[in-house]
Amino acid sequence: MRRIRQGDDVVVIAGKDKGRRGTVLKVLENDRVLVQNINMVKKHQKPNPYAGVSGGIIDKEMPLHISNVMLYNPASGKGDRVGFRTLEDGRKVRVYKSNNEVVDAS
């Protein structure tokens, strides 16, 4: 079970986008996450008429290491550490370490 999942709001804690917030688009297998509008780079795209790709310079997100992001806690308005707790009904849920609130609403 991952501490950070697709669709989570995260805060970047290191790097050129430190302090910025975004939504996780994808969690990659090598402990990296793709965050919306964070770690943007300019890619020089070569045109490919067979695939219908036009050429030019495009902006795209590049992955960040998962250790450089923290889950955003709306109660405190800051990034927060995440732990796990088993509920009475046997479900294992993520909780914020600062206030022990359950992250997963379902």
Side-chain angles (χ1 to χ4, degrees):
M1 195 173 219
R2 288 242 181 231
R3 295 178 193 279
I4 295 184
R5 300 181 190 159
Q6 183 173 335
D8 285 344
D9 274 345
V10 293
V11 179
V12 180
I13 58 171
K16 66 178 184 180
D17 291 318
K18 181 177 178 176
R20 292 186 61 198
R21 236 171 81 194
T23 306
V24 176
L25 299 174
K26 191 173 187 180
V27 179
L28 304 173
E29 68 279 346
N30 54 352
D31 287 338
R32 293 185 170 272
V33 289
L34 206 60
V35 184
Q36 185 176 10
N37 294 327
I38 302 291
N39 201 19
M40 299 293 285
V41 297
K42 299 220 181 270
K43 177 169 172 44
H44 294 256
Q45 184 77 40
K46 189 173 180 180
N48 185 350
Y50 301 111
V53 176
S54 60
I57 301 173
I58 61 167
D59 288 329
K60 68 179 279 188
E61 295 105 351
M62 291 299 282
L64 290 165
H65 196 268
I66 206 161
S67 66
N68 293 333
V69 296
M70 286 181 101
L71 200 60
Y72 178 74
N73 187 347
S76 65
K78 295 188 281 189
D80 207 342
R81 293 182 299 147
V82 181
F84 292 98
R85 187 183 334 140
T86 306
L87 300 178
E88 293 80 26
D89 60 359
R91 287 188 303 142
K92 185 178 175 184
V93 293
R94 298 180 297 164
V95 293
Y96 294 115
K97 289 274 194 173
S98 63
N99 54 6
N100 284 328
E101 284 184 14
V102 176
V103 176
D104 308 310
S106 57

